Amino acid sequence: MTEPPEAPAAEQPDPGASAGPAGEAGGRKRGPGSGVAARAAAAVPRSVTGRATLAGFIVSALLILAIVFGSRLLRNFDSALLPYAVATVFLAFGVAYRYTVWISAPGARRLFVQGRRSLFSAENFRRAPTALPKMAATYLGFQKFLGARSHARWAAHQLIFWGCILASLITFPLTWGWFTFTSSTGSGPGYEMRVWGFKILGFDSLNIIGWLMFHGLDVAAVLVIPGASYFLWRRMKDRGAITGQRFAYDMVPLLALIVISVTGLLLTFSSLFLHGGGYEFLAILHMVSVVFTLIYIPFGKFFHIVQRPAAVGMQLFKYTGRQDDQVFACRRCEEPVDTGPYVENLRGTMRDLDLGFDAWAEYCPRCKRVLRGSAYLSQVKKGFK
């Protein structure tokens, strides 16, 4: 058991403690390295900005080409959906731009490289061929890690996740002109679904398959509304959520999802029961809410949707370390902290950021708190007689 680094508690903040607005609002004393990290995050180098801008233009151009050729030189493109298509092009630019900036930061770059290396490792695949699909299902699909916090939160998150996935799988191809539905008889009820101009299947609009084809977005809306409503209710009632929440960052995404879902259902209601009454106004309101949300994704809370797949590679990186019995024990209590490669990766990131206390990554959270308390008693409180 080694001795901890000698420094006052005020100079040795807990690197495992949570950071962010909630921690700062609570009056947590910031360590000497935190200012460096904040300044580094705030001032993006021009070289990174240039690469990010170039990446954004390339991805946007590729999407435009995909729209043109996927819609058979715009023959299958619906001009009424042009605002949606323009918003998706902007979405592609924003996602590529921010993702490039994100992986340019030392911490994210290390995690990204290690995760990618584990993800495409032939050796890892030979040793554990089912590890990757299992982790993709648990972390991306069913998000089992949320169930440890609350079963209600997990269920609500699942409703939002699968509702948005279903809506995206329907909306994006239709917007780009990749999917078309045409009547095979001229007046129905027989329809054909074509992808890139090729017939995929024919269906009867009066049976259950046809109903799901034409009301898939309604099903997605029914899934999203209760999930988003639960989180909205929680953010208005839960003290922990209220303390650190920001309206534009935490509340607006939920409100946007609800507005999109409700206006989409109202469009169907207007068509079926009101003979199209108010349809034009609802269509414009729905379009504005969707376009706003698509533009908001790269620069708001929804960006975690893009970041989440990186967790699969990172979990695979940790999994391979555990398979090799590379478990790192706490320097003080000798309880397992994490895998050895992960701890070394964390220390490397802290050194890249010039934080100056990377040795503390070798202690478990409990021992960090004990050592900080001991340092406070011996270095700070002894000055008060």
Side-chain angles (χ1 to χ4, degrees):
M1 183 169 64
T2 60
E3 293 296 325
E6 294 183 2
E11 297 180 2
Q12 293 288 350
D14 183 357
S18 59
E24 295 175 8
R28 177 173 295 157
K29 187 174 182 64
R30 303 177 65 187
S34 58
V36 176
R39 289 192 297 272
V44 180
R46 289 185 178 181
S47 59
V48 175
T49 303
R51 289 198 304 269
T53 304
L54 178 61
F57 278 119
I58 291 175
V59 172
S60 299
L62 291 176
L63 178 56
I64 292 173
L65 291 175
I67 292 174
V68 172
F69 289 104
S71 61
R72 302 175 66 195
L73 299 180
L74 302 181
R75 284 197 295 269
N76 294 337
F77 185 80
D78 188 351
S79 59
L81 301 178
L82 180 61
Y84 296 97
V86 173
T88 59
V89 172
F90 185 87
L91 167 67
F93 176 88
V95 167
Y97 179 93
R98 188 173 175 187
Y99 202 89
T100 304
V101 172
W102 175 58
I103 63 175
S104 297
R109 183 173 60 251
R110 279 181 171 272
L111 293 178
F112 182 81
V113 171
Q114 294 288 5
R116 183 182 59 187
R117 187 176 300 163
S118 300
L119 196 63
F120 295 103
S121 171
E123 182 181 355
N124 289 343
F125 180 77
R126 286 195 301 268
R127 288 189 302 172
T130 61
L132 179 58
K134 180 180 178 180
M135 291 180 183
T138 55
Y139 282 91
L140 292 183
F142 297 102
Q143 297 137 8
K144 293 179 64 176
F145 60 93
L146 291 173
R149 303 179 185 178
S150 166
H151 293 300
R153 291 178 64 181
W154 175 82
H157 205 281
Q158 283 288 284
L159 290 173
I160 295 177
F161 175 77
W162 291 112
C164 291
I165 290 293
L166 177 60
S168 299
L169 291 176
I170 296 173
T171 302
F172 286 171
L174 284 176
T175 299
W176 298 333
W178 292 2
F179 286 3
T180 57
F181 295 91
T182 57
S183 174
S184 58
T185 60
S187 59
Y191 282 85
E192 296 177 350
M193 184 180 76
R194 295 178 176 269
V195 178
W196 300 320
F198 299 98
K199 179 182 176 181
I200 300 299
L201 59 88
F203 60 91
D204 189 336
S205 61
L206 300 180
N207 60 25
I208 184 63
I209 300 298
W211 189 91
L212 290 174
M213 285 289 182
F214 286 108
H215 294 277
L217 291 176
D218 295 330
V219 175
V222 170
L223 292 175
V224 169
I225 289 175
S229 298
Y230 169 81
F231 285 115
L232 190 63
W233 171 83
R234 183 176 175 274
R235 290 203 166 276
M236 291 189 294
K237 296 293 184 180
D238 186 84
R239 289 185 177 181
I242 293 174
T243 301
Q245 73 182 6
R246 290 165 287 174
F247 180 79
Y249 189 77
D250 296 298
M251 303 291 282
V252 168
L254 298 174
L255 293 172
L257 288 177
I258 292 175
V259 171
I260 291 173
S261 302
V262 171
T263 54
L265 290 175
L266 288 177
L267 285 172
T268 301
F269 182 82
S270 173
S271 298
L272 296 178
F273 302 106
L274 301 181
H275 305 289
Y279 192 92
E280 292 183 0
F281 170 76
L282 291 172
I284 293 175
L285 181 60
H286 181 73
M287 180 190 68
V288 170
S289 60
V290 171
V291 169
F292 167 79
T293 304
L294 291 176
I295 294 175
Y296 177 84
I297 287 176
F299 309 105
K301 191 172 186 177
F302 284 147
F303 187 68
H304 78 274
I305 301 171
V306 184
Q307 293 173 308
R308 175 53 56 185
V312 176
M314 197 61 235
Q315 291 300 323
L316 189 61
F317 170 58
K318 297 171 71 172
Y319 175 81
T320 55
R322 288 192 294 268
Q323 292 295 105
D324 296 336
D325 294 327
Q326 301 182 48
V327 178
F328 190 91
C330 174
R331 294 297 188 189
R332 182 175 179 273
C333 68
E334 298 184 355
E335 289 293 322
V337 177
D338 212 311
T339 63
Y342 183 80
V343 172
E344 182 55 35
N345 184 76
L346 176 60
R347 292 196 63 177
T349 299
M350 298 171 75
R351 288 193 294 267
D352 290 342
L353 295 173
D354 296 326
L355 295 181
F357 50 91
D358 59 282
W360 279 66
E362 300 180 357
Y363 295 86
C364 69
R366 179 182 179 276
C367 288
K368 291 174 187 175
R369 292 191 293 269
V370 171
L371 293 173
R372 288 187 66 185
S374 300
Y376 176 80
L377 290 175
S378 61
Q379 302 294 331
V380 179
K381 198 169 183 179
K382 70 176 185 179
F384 297 92
K385 300 297 184 181

